[in-house]
Amino acid sequence: MHNNMNKNMFRIMRVFIVLFVLLIINLSYIQVIKSDWFTNNPLNPRIANRANNTLRGDIMDCNGKKIAYSKKSGEKIERIYPYNELFAAPVGYLGKNIGSAGIEQSQNSNLCGINMTLHKLGPIEQLFMVEKGNSVKLTLNADIQKSAWDAMGNRRGAVVVMDAATGAVLAMVSKPSFNPNTVDEDWKKLYADKASPLLNRAAQGLYPPGSSIKPMIADAALAQNVINTTEKIYCGPYYDLGNNQKIGEADKAVYGSINLEQGLIHSSNVMFAGLAVKMGSEGLQQAFKRFGFYDNFQTDFAAQMPHIPNFPKLSKGETAQVGIGQADLLVSPLRMAMLASAFGNNGKCMKPYLVAQVLSPQGQVIHTTMPAEFKEVTTPDRANIIDNYMKAVVLQGTGRKAIVKGVTIAGKTGTAENPFGADHAWFIGTAQVGTKHIAFAVILENSGYGGSEAAPVIKDIINTMLKEDQK
């Protein structure tokens, strides 16, 4: 009996030892691996308490204009967004009962003036509390943002304008939007709205790119020697896939024998469907990998990964559809602006970012974001070839409504079919505006032709930038 008692005690002791080891492992996991995640999480009660009780720092545009600031009235602290809906997509909101989003969320610790090292020490942090948080200066330009917002009118969609050389985002507009001043009161209505006004379409919306993907297909076809710059292909009214399947030109156009540049100028579906079939699904997949469509990147705002087709299982018809930006391919406007930037930047694609600097309440610079390369997606020679083709698209082809006298613009339009309504209008490209070399992408949902609808949006933005340069 005595032996049985010892065995039972030994078993119980082993159970306790195992539980103790599991407890140590879990505590180590929380304290070491997940420490930053828990510390920065806006649902952390201590973080939320600081956010609600600290005079939060300002959020400013690149010229120091206040986009968001806090005001204290008695014991009450109010967060004010003077531009209402204009910056809502990138800047986000700070709700009393709904948490935060956008820059308000990603820069929460800076705006609250929280020293994350001290914060992990718990109550000791109270000794070093500050009255006001740090300010965040963004790369966004209020004038360019306003111009993009106005140019879109009442149409749904998004606009992204970046500095092609650095990746700094100059404008990020998404419509429909919301007023961050009243987001708490409007929350139920906004959340239930089928038009998804809380979605940042510029970075998180996914759309078929349509013909705006053709510059990348042209680059891939040159890289894989499927075509050269002088070879001509006959482009009749349709591309015959066999089995009574055809891909037609817009308006049943017949362009005759044309080279790659003319194919891009006319946005020939026959040429690019044929090139995609010649490259095959494996060749297309290589191109999408090379251009970074499979790669994520960490930055100071949330961005959605593209939806890439399952290339090994594509049929011949689906492969041809990818060549004209259809099939199962979905991309965000941000990704398309990055794609365009590479052709105007010698093949280099920069990582996009919104936060330029973090400043102390006294105006001292605490942090400055340094530009970083995302990928070198093509050679300088091919980038130069495609860039010149895109300039011809604007001067002679479907992008003519973007022309601004004295400004060199390279662009590609797209008119993307979608199963939920009228076509989406695209325009992507680059432009040298004064000292800035910008890259851009415009998507207007269910608005028809990219050349007639999306291209004029960029024309308005460039004219605004020129006026700013003259001040």
Side-chain angles (χ1 to χ4, degrees), residues 141 143-151 159-162 170-171 394 399-411 427-442 454-471:
N141 180 304
D143 295 318
I144 302 175
Q145 185 85 357
K146 177 75 163 49
S147 176
W149 177 275
D150 290 344
V159 175
V160 178
V161 182
M162 299 168 51
L170 307 176
V394 174
R400 280 173 290 186
K401 289 202 172 184
I403 291 175
V404 177
K405 188 178 179 182
V407 176
T408 301
I409 305 171
F427 188 54
I428 70 166
T430 60
Q432 186 68 44
V433 188
T435 57
K436 281 214 181 300
H437 192 199
I438 63 167
F440 55 80
V442 177
V457 171
I458 289 302
K459 182 177 183 176
D460 287 358
I461 292 171
I462 291 174
N463 279 325
T464 297
M465 293 181 70
L466 291 174
K467 289 177 185 174
E468 286 300 306
D469 274 357
Q470 293 168 2
K471 286 182 179 177

Side-chain angles (χ1 to χ4, degrees), residues 24-66:
I24 293 297
I25 291 173
N26 190 46
L27 286 174
S28 300
Y29 175 75
I30 292 172
Q31 289 293 329
V32 179
I33 296 175
K34 297 294 288 184
S35 172
D36 287 341
W37 185 87
F38 281 116
T39 305
N40 287 294
N41 195 311
L43 296 179
N44 177 333
R46 283 201 291 139
I47 292 281
N49 185 53
R50 283 287 295 272
N52 291 329
N53 294 292
T54 301
L55 195 61
R56 202 173 173 82
D58 303 334
I59 300 176
M60 302 175 287
D61 87 334
C62 63
N63 293 315
K65 295 179 181 176
K66 289 185 180 180

Side-chain angles (χ1 to χ4, degrees), residues 280-404:
S281 58
E282 187 176 343
L284 286 173
Q285 187 172 31
Q286 287 175 10
F288 278 91
K289 284 182 177 177
R290 181 160 54 84
F291 275 82
F293 282 85
Y294 284 87
D295 299 322
N296 206 347
F297 54 84
Q298 296 296 317
T299 187
D300 44 33
F301 61 91
Q304 181 68 40
M305 283 285 288
H307 185 277
I308 305 299
N310 186 355
F311 283 104
K313 293 188 176 179
L314 290 186
S315 66
K316 181 181 178 182
E318 290 167 334
T319 300
Q321 290 285 345
V322 172
I324 60 172
Q326 296 290 162
D328 201 16
L329 175 62
L330 299 172
V331 296
S332 69
L334 176 72
R335 284 282 181 163
M336 294 309 287
M338 292 169 66
L339 170 68
S341 74
F343 297 122
N345 198 30
N346 290 317
K348 291 181 180 176
C349 183
M350 303 300 289
K351 190 165 75 171
Y353 64 97
L354 279 169
V355 176
Q357 290 181 323
V358 177
L359 306 166
S360 73
Q362 293 76 34
Q364 295 169 322
V365 176
I366 297 172
H367 166 79
T368 298
T369 302
M370 300 304 294
E373 184 178 308
F374 172 52
K375 288 196 84 167
E376 186 166 348
V377 302
T378 187
T379 65
D381 286 345
R382 279 205 309 277
N384 189 48
I385 289 170
I386 303 300
D387 187 52
N388 284 327
Y389 288 175
M390 292 172 72
K391 288 171 182 170
V393 168
V394 174
L395 291 174
Q396 307 168 38
T398 53
R400 280 173 290 186
K401 289 202 172 184
I403 291 175
V404 177

Side-chain angles (χ1 to χ4, degrees), residues 154-169:
N154 294 324
R155 295 169 291 189
R156 295 180 187 176
V159 175
V160 178
V161 182
M162 299 168 51
D163 185 325
T166 66
V169 179

